[in-house]
Amino acid sequence: MESFTITSKKVLTLVLVIDKAEQKVLLGYKKRGFGAHLWNGFGGKVEPGETTREGALRELEEEAGITVKTEDFKKAGILLFQFENDPVALETHVYKSYEYQGLIRECEEMRPQWFAFADVPYDQMWEDDRIWLPMLLNGQDPFYGRMYFKRKPVEDTKEIETTVTSVVNTSTSTHVNHSTTMTGTSFTTAQPKSGPFAMCDYQLEHSLQGVPREIALDGTIASFEN
Ligand SMILES: Nc1ncnc2c1[nH]c(=O)n2[C@H]1C[C@H](O)[C@@H](COP(=O)(O)OP(=O)(O)OP(=O)(O)O)O1
């Protein structure tokens, strides 16, 4: 795997909030940036001086407007995402909670929405999600894994075409909505359906020894949480 050799990693977080009684999971539609136009959990880069747990709670509040008590916030696993010809891997710390406080709200980066477990839009998510998210939803965590991605040829990223309707309202500000029903100036835009990367290989294991804290560059679990 010469083209997948890594020399360093960035630390990211990903949070799934679950309504156990209703069998629903809260996902966010990413409106911009890395992974734009895909549904995902909430998360992002861990900032200097933050623990992964603190970073995950901060991102959840920023992106969905809700908080989770420390005792309800559980580490579900770690995923190391690797990209062809990119020496920097993304070490993503996955958390879950069955409880939350506050009112769910949209922000400029994410549009939150509840999905029944049976209706999770895997065809509009990172390809690896269909491997590990069902495990998380079924309580088969903690887990750890490595996922390998290649960039898709440009023509393969034009899988769906969405009509974007630009509405200019009377106060002259411009709102852009993915909609086919609103009036205004419409144009068609190509969107990647499952992102610009194709997963070409993966390894995922249920962690029997405990909750993984860190994955070493060689893919082994570097340490476990106490
Ligand atoms: N392959 C895959 N599957 C599932 N989830 C993810 C991936 N790759 C990823 O990066 N992710 C997740 C991990 C993070 O939750 C986000 C990416 O975070 P990002 O938006 O880059 O970080 P922020 O700190 O919020 O970004 P900016 O504020 O800099 O825009 O996707």
Side-chain angles (χ1 to χ4, degrees):
M1 284 243 200
E2 190 54 41
S3 56
F4 285 100
T5 304
I6 52 171
T7 53
S8 63
K9 54 192 183 176
K10 280 187 200 159
V11 182
L12 301 175
T13 60
L14 191 55
V15 182
L16 283 307
V17 174
I18 297 161
D19 183 331
K20 217 172 186 174
E22 297 285 330
Q23 296 277 286
K24 287 183 176 173
V25 58
L26 186 66
L27 299 175
Y29 180 79
K30 185 131 191 224
K31 298 193 267 185
R32 61 159 175 83
F34 193 60
H37 309 302
L38 301 180
W39 292 94
N40 205 350
F42 304 90
K45 298 171 201 75
V46 174
E47 291 182 352
E50 267 183 344
T51 62
T52 55
R53 184 169 284 266
E54 288 165 349
L57 288 167
R58 172 184 52 74
E59 291 277 358
L60 180 64
E61 207 280 328
E62 284 174 9
E63 295 183 351
I66 53 176
T67 55
V68 172
K69 291 181 188 155
T70 312
E71 62 268 29
D72 295 326
F73 206 52
K74 306 276 183 247
K75 180 88 169 269
I78 299 194
L79 302 170
L80 194 69
F81 301 125
Q82 291 181 232
F83 299 87
E84 188 178 31
N85 298 320
D86 187 343
V88 185
L90 305 180
E91 183 183 86
T92 302
H93 295 242
V94 186
Y95 290 87
K96 68 173 184 180
S97 178
Y98 296 114
E99 309 287 338
Y100 70 91
Q101 288 76 44
L103 285 178
I104 295 166
R105 57 116 179 91
E106 182 172 349
C107 70
E108 41 87 40
E109 188 177 352
M110 291 288 246
R111 175 160 54 82
Q113 187 177 314
W114 288 102
F115 287 91
F117 288 179
D119 297 329
V120 171
Y122 287 110
D123 64 338
Q124 297 167 59
M125 299 173 77
W126 283 95
E127 279 181 55
D128 55 282
D129 291 19
R130 70 187 67 201
I131 312 294
W132 58 266
L133 185 53
M135 284 176 71
L136 183 147
L137 297 178
N138 292 329
Q140 295 166 300
D141 51 87
F143 49 74
Y144 67 101
R146 295 176 102 179
M147 277 88 191
Y148 304 88
F149 292 90
K150 288 186 176 185
R151 188 168 275 283
K152 287 180 189 168
V154 174
E155 58 273 20
D156 290 1
T157 66
K158 295 178 182 168
E159 290 171 2
I160 52 169
E161 295 210 321
T162 304
T163 300
V164 175
T165 305
S166 171
V167 179
V168 182
N169 70 17
T170 48
S171 63
T172 69
S173 67
T174 304
H175 302 279
V176 179
N177 288 295
H178 287 270
S179 164
T180 49
T181 53
M182 296 176 76
T183 55
T185 312
S186 290
F187 57 95
T188 300
T189 180
Q191 280 186 27
K193 200 176 179 190
S194 56
F197 297 97
M199 190 173 69
C200 54
D201 198 5
Y202 75 92
Q203 294 131 19
L204 184 73
E205 286 183 44
H206 181 68
S207 172
L208 298 173
Q209 290 147 286
V211 181
R213 176 188 289 142
E214 191 189 353
I215 299 186
L217 294 181
D218 67 2
T220 57
I221 299 180
S223 60
F224 292 92
E225 304 217 345
N226 297 320

